[in-house]
Amino acid sequence: MASSSAIQIPSRLPLLLTHEGVLLPGSTMRTSVDSPRNMQLVRSRLLKGTSLKSTIIGVIPNTSDPASDGDDLPSLHRIGTAALAVQVVGSNWPKPHYTLLVTGLCRFQILQLLKEKPYPVAEVEQLDRLENFTRRPQAEEDLGELSEQFYKYAVQLVEMLDMSVPAVAKLRRLLDNLPREALPDILTSIIRTTNQEKLQILDAVSLEERFKMTIPLLVRQIEGLKLLQKTRKPKQDDDKRVVAIRPIRRLNHIPGAAEEEEEEEDHDDVVMLEKKIRTSSMSEQALKVCLKEMKRLKKMPQSMPEYALTRNYLELMVELPWNKSTKDRLDIRAARVLLDNDHYAMEKLKKRVLEYLAVRQLKNNLKGPILCFVGPPGVGKTSVGRSIAKTLGREFHRIALGGVCDQSDIRGHRRTYVGSMPGRIINGLKTVGVNNPVFLLDEVDKLGKSLQGDPAAALLEVLDPEQNHSFTDHYLNVAFDLSQVLFIATANTTATIAPALLDRMEVIQVPGYTQEEKIEIAHRHLIPKQLEQHGLTPQQIQIPQVTTLDIITRYTREAGVRSLDRKLGAICRAVAVKVAEGQHKETKSDRSEVTEGEDSRDHVTEDAKTESISDTADLALPPEMPILIDFHALKDILGPPMYEMEVSERLSQPGVAIGLAWTPLGGEIMFVEASRMDGDGQLTLTGQLGDVMKESAHLAISWLRSNAKKYQLTNASGSFDLLDNTDIHLHFPAGAVTKDGPSAGVTIVTCLASLFSGRLVRSDVAMTGEITLRGLVLPVGGIKDKVLAAHRAGLKRIIIPQRNEKDLEGIAVNVQQDLTFVMASCLDEVLNAAFDGGFSAKTALEHLNKYEDPSFHLLGESLQRNGLCPNIL
């Protein structure tokens, strides 16, 4: 059937069976190959072939069940399409397969199947002319009115599309340049048709029959477009873009009908996305970038991976609150009441928030401050951030930074990476939907560092008021204004925060609560919250303040109130069990009374009924009484007290002193114990000590050795050389807790002085301070937390460095009234305050005379012979 000038296909073709669609001459299709026969064809024919003929295969639509993948070859369709394999791509996920891009050349008919394995090969006969159209060919035959009618409908269909789209303009030129006999196959592959209709067009070998079958399909498509245009909004440009998307995509791909509907819906979304971009209030730079990306998106086929990435990027840019903000509630009186209702104490925090509100009233364009709340866990740092947002009437968003070790969590990933996404800052702005929320950067002191960068360094731009007005996320790649965001960071300590990052934040210390503050917090907030969570009422349970104080002092030892909250929850659970059991008993007794009444109803006279009613009234149960939680109930519910006042017991022998330590969890009291034994002058230190604390111990023993004669300190043999034939062991309980820092220096000196003098340290005194080799006491940090720890432990006298006196101003007045503070500038003052009656040679000898031990008398005689304190001995 082919003329002498036509191009001939091979008479033997390997056959590729497809389930995904029908390939027509002149169209292109991407198909997946995963069956054994088809994969063997690709490996043997396409991948190993070197000539052009080896890339020509026969594509046969498989009309059988795709799930049937047996060894038998299914029945083959009689007509197929000779195709040129343009591209072969292999993949092993989710299973080994190839993806072929094939272009239809002409129809062929199977004459004989030559072999079935490893892949089918058939002898074929070419049915269509296949000419090399290097120039516009002259019509070799007159196709008559049928061809003209088809051409008229084809032109009408194309002109309904947007001619400014390059693919549509190219299609319009093809209508004029291609021979009429090639147009039915090409247009059928473009318009919306089912696979069955395509199969009928493929089987139409006669050109006249092909025209007759294609014209109704064109008419149906034209009517559908007209109806679509009527239902659309009267914007002609947008309508043409909506209609144009299918021809653009279908020039390169022939999906099924369902896929075509999805493509149309996707393009509707693209049009709406472009409208949102143009009507958004984003910056000029961002708008320019978005329009450029939208232009690229229109030219991409949906099968490209970059299509989804670009679309996600544009959708994010539209959703960001470029110019959307909430109006601040600037009523200072109402803000003060709201803060007082939500949180007890925390006067410094409340004062700072009210200052911000006052300045905000005077200046509308005030930049958001960068605050950092530093304090132990459980004191309300996170909750006060939420209250600040509520006070200002702003949206609140919390970003947990604990354990973050990748700078991409802050700045986002670049869009060149697979799975890229914006950072937590931009994602939080998208979540809240406004550009002036309250951002809580929780646990900023627990940021990590890894090979992926330092997130603390990435936060430098975010938390700098002079830079964050043009914060650039790697994913957005355009500047975003963060200057209106109120950033609040929380931390347990500033020691682990990078100095450059700490310099950008306004640090506000949040000390732990006193016992009185904990009682107020418990009865104002914690107890009502626990009653509500457990379904109880104040008529069912009562917790007096005395009981709350017992819980605070005997069952918890913390700076915050989290353990207190858990203990109150345990009490409420125990009471809930009692209440539920009581209700069950009452219900059961009521049912039994009703049953007995029904059984004896017929035998009771009227007089008996009257007597029964009166008896019941006399025996009526009293109203339900609330369960009172006292110390005995606490012991039954929570067990024996966890923390007893063991201070006096621990200080019942010489060589023990109490120090004050600071931890990220708040202040703690710390016992220092010393013991001496015969040896060769070694100093042993135990208790998981750091290098700084070990050096403090060596400083203490050196100072005491140099001042032994002054204070009449001797070893067991009466020598002033304290380490002569004597070993000293210093221990810092608890042994499993790591300890370090210089503030234990004065405590070690006091402990060793007690050991060598044989005198007891006062049981109500605690101390802190760094020492020098000359006996000076230097200032230390964490005074507020240390004082509160001593107050919780019931101590009455605290020795602190003279230069730390300024740190006492932030301590509550009631705490200061309960404590006596001794300001020490040298170790002489520390020792005089730590021992009853002071600490001098005179008091040391008075103490020695109280003992019956002969060794002490020998020591006294030795002191007298040396001319020391003769008036005492």
Side-chain angles (χ1 to χ4, degrees), residues 575-585:
V575 172
V577 173
K578 297 292 184 182
V579 172
E581 288 178 349
Q583 292 178 351
H584 178 70
K585 290 180 180 179

Side-chain angles (χ1 to χ4, degrees), residues 519-536:
I519 293 174
E520 288 294 329
I521 292 172
H523 286 270
R524 288 190 184 190
H525 302 287
L526 301 183
I527 293 177
K529 183 188 73 172
Q530 291 292 343
L531 293 182
E532 181 181 358
Q533 290 180 354
H534 293 84
L536 299 174

